[in-house]
Amino acid sequence: MIRDTSAQDRRIEIAHPRVNKRWIIIGATSAAVLVALVWLVPSVARLISAGTSVSVASLRFGEIKRGTLVRDVSAQGKVVAAQAPTLYATAPGTVTLLTHAGDKVEKDQVLAEVDSPELNNKLQQEQATLASLDIDVGRAGIDAKQKELLAKKTIEQAQIDRQTAAREVERKSLAFDKGAMAEVEVLRSKDALAKAELDVTHAQADSRLQNETAAFELKTKRLALDRQKLLVADLARQVDLLKVRSPVAGQVGQLLVQQKANVPINTGLVTVIDLTSLEVELQVPEVFAHDLTIGMPAEIAEGAQKYKGELSAVSPEVVNNQVVARVRFAADKPAGLRQSQQLTTRILIDERPNVLMVERGSFVDTGAGRVAYLVHDGIAERKAIQVGATSLNAVEIVSGVKEGDRIVISGTDSFNGAEKVVLN
């Protein structure tokens, strides 16, 4: 039997050499490294060119836009009365309160009375003195008339004596001419006439002096009477002021003393609030103080409603880096406002149209308004800028950037003043 070749045939397996797998792994790894290098090279280049790197999550950015910058200051204010007088005791005494806190009152309504026995007694004494001086003036007037009549009587008597003397001279002269009387008698009658004429002259002079004296005395007493009238009127006014009246129509704020309290002079008794002239008082940061001008427009918000107002007063004193300002309602005001009610108030300082501006942030203080970091391609680059007007929400950029640029508006202390910073 001839043997076949089945024993010699065998299946040959085609094996993939290990070297082929190794090359595949090497190739894949090389491709991955190449891709990584392509991605990392720019970042490495940025790292090399930048001084430091900062996380984007810790920063805020703003875009430079063109628009109208409204400079304003907004603060929470409280309602105060433009007129809120405090009424005081004008003399020591016992107080009787005639109203209660919260009561509505009219102008000149009596709110309290002060019982001052000392002042009332003084008024009565001066009134008695006034009556006495009035009597003295009347008596002086009567005396002046009596003196005037007496002087007139004396003048008339002297005139009669002169007339008698003149007739005697005429009679004796006629008798002398007829030889019935001696010349010496005629001369005596003439002397008597001259004396009578002199008496008339003196009587007239005395009458004028007496009238002037009487008029002077009467005037003196009348002046004393007028002075006393003024004194009594002033005391009457002081007594009337013991009735404490409201100077305005409004509402009683506080009672500052207890009923029937014994108070000294100038003690506060009652406060009154004029509800017709309410204003909003607010604290304004000192940085805006030099920009505030009386009459500036304002906006007062009460809930969803807004009311127009104007700046009415600015305190000249700075306290805790703030100044006190007051805003009055221009026309309409909310109904039912109460003292110390909180209202949001906005004062419009200035309006600048068509300017480059960006959202306000800490970069203004960090860079003193002269430096900002311009963001492009993942790098923040230090740029010199010039800041113009500022508001609570925005800042005007005068130079250094253009519209559409993005800058870092948050604080840049972590940049350490580097010229370039990588943002990652």
Side-chain angles (χ1 to χ4, degrees):
M1 174 179 279
I2 300 174
R3 298 177 62 184
D4 56 21
T5 61
S6 59
Q8 298 177 357
D9 296 335
R10 61 178 179 174
R11 186 177 181 179
I12 300 175
E13 299 287 342
I14 300 176
H16 298 283
R18 294 183 178 179
V19 65
N20 292 338
K21 292 183 178 180
R22 185 169 59 252
W23 281 108
I24 291 174
I25 294 173
I26 292 173
T29 303
S30 298
V33 170
L34 182 60
V35 172
L37 287 176
V38 172
W39 183 77
L40 289 175
V41 165
S43 299
V44 172
R46 290 197 302 269
L47 284 171
I48 293 173
S49 63
T52 184
S53 64
V54 176
S55 173
V56 174
S58 63
L59 302 175
R60 289 176 56 237
F61 304 93
E63 182 180 350
I64 306 298
K65 298 180 180 179
R66 187 171 293 277
T68 300
L69 176 68
V70 178
R71 297 184 63 210
D72 59 4
V73 55
S74 181
Q76 194 77 2
K78 64 177 181 179
V79 177
V80 296
Q83 297 186 68
T86 299
L87 310 183
Y88 296 86
T90 57
T94 303
V95 178
T96 301
L97 299 173
L98 304 177
T99 187
H100 302 86
D103 288 352
K104 290 187 178 181
V105 296
E106 300 297 331
K107 185 178 179 180
D108 295 328
Q109 180 178 336
V110 179
L111 307 182
E113 292 184 2
V114 180
D115 182 17
S116 178
E118 179 181 358
L119 188 58
N120 285 316
N121 185 48
K122 187 175 182 180
L123 174 61
Q124 292 174 4
Q125 291 178 0
E126 297 301 334
Q127 286 175 336
T129 302
L130 176 63
S132 177
L133 289 176
D134 191 28
I135 293 174
D136 288 344
V137 168
R139 184 183 294 113
I142 294 174
D143 290 343
K145 290 180 180 180
Q146 287 179 341
K147 290 179 180 180
E148 182 181 359
L149 289 175
L150 181 60
K152 185 177 180 181
K153 179 181 177 181
T154 302
I155 293 173
E156 291 175 348
Q157 185 65 46
Q159 289 175 343
I160 291 173
D161 292 342
R162 182 184 61 181
Q163 186 177 1
T164 301
R167 288 176 181 173
E168 187 68 18
V169 169
E170 183 181 357
R171 185 180 64 82
K172 288 184 177 182
S173 295
L174 183 59
F176 173 75
D177 291 340
K178 293 181 178 182
M181 185 171 289
E183 184 179 4
V184 64
E185 293 296 333
V186 176
L187 294 176
R188 286 177 180 174
S189 63
K190 290 182 178 180
D191 291 339
L193 176 60
K195 181 178 180 300
E197 289 179 348
L198 186 61
D199 289 342
V200 170
T201 303
H202 287 170
Q204 291 174 342
D206 289 343
S207 176
R208 288 194 295 271
L209 288 176
Q210 288 180 5
N211 289 338
E212 290 177 2
T213 301
F216 181 77
E217 291 179 353
L218 180 60
K219 184 178 180 180
T220 301
K221 292 185 179 297
R222 282 177 175 171
L223 289 174
L225 177 64
D226 293 340
R227 178 182 178 278
Q228 189 65 22
K229 286 180 178 179
L230 293 175
L231 180 59
V232 170
D234 184 63
L235 286 173
R237 179 188 61 81
Q238 295 181 39
V239 171
D240 185 64
L241 288 178
L242 295 178
K243 294 181 178 180
V244 182
R245 293 180 170 85
S246 175
V248 295
Q251 187 175 17
V252 177
Q254 290 181 317
L255 302 179
L256 304 178
V257 295
Q258 299 295 324
Q259 184 71 273
K260 296 299 181 180
N262 193 6
V263 299
I265 190 173
N266 295 329
T267 299
L269 305 178
V270 183
T271 61
V272 181
I273 302 170
D274 184 2
L275 298 178
T276 63
S277 58
L278 295 175
E279 296 181 344
V280 180
E281 183 179 274
L282 62 154
Q283 304 285 335
V284 178
E286 180 183 0
V287 67
F288 295 103
H290 67 282
D291 296 324
L292 298 179
T293 304
I294 303 301
M296 278 184 170
E299 188 178 75
I300 305 168
E302 201 264 337
Q305 296 293 325
K306 294 183 178 180
Y307 301 86
K308 292 183 178 180
E310 63 179 20
L311 189 63
S312 61
V314 180
S315 172
E317 183 181 8
V318 178
V319 179
N320 296 328
N321 298 323
Q322 291 182 323
V323 295
V324 177
R326 281 197 176 192
V327 174
R328 72 163 62 97
F329 290 92
D332 297 334
K333 62 177 181 291
L337 286 181
R338 293 184 177 274
Q339 182 91 337
S340 300
Q341 182 177 342
Q342 298 292 316
L343 294 177
T344 301
T345 305
R346 177 169 166 256
I347 301 174
L348 306 177
I349 299 176
D350 190 12
E351 185 173 317
R352 301 191 176 209
N354 195 29
V355 298
L356 291 177
M357 59 183 183
V358 68
E359 181 183 353
R360 183 166 183 165
S362 302
F363 80 99
V364 177
D365 300 323
T366 304
R370 296 190 293 269
V371 175
Y373 279 87
L374 180 64
V375 178
H376 59 87
D377 297 331
I379 291 182
E381 184 177 356
R382 181 184 174 96
K383 289 285 186 179
I385 65 169
Q386 182 180 351
V387 173
T390 62
S391 70
L392 289 178
N393 301 318
V395 179
E396 178 188 6
I397 306 296
V398 178
S399 63
V401 293
K402 63 182 182 300
E403 185 177 356
D405 287 346
R406 292 177 69 243
I407 64 173
V408 179
I409 63 173
S410 57
T412 56
D413 291 337
S414 59
F415 291 8
N416 297 321
E419 291 297 325
K420 293 183 179 180
V421 178
V422 174
L423 306 178
N424 52 37

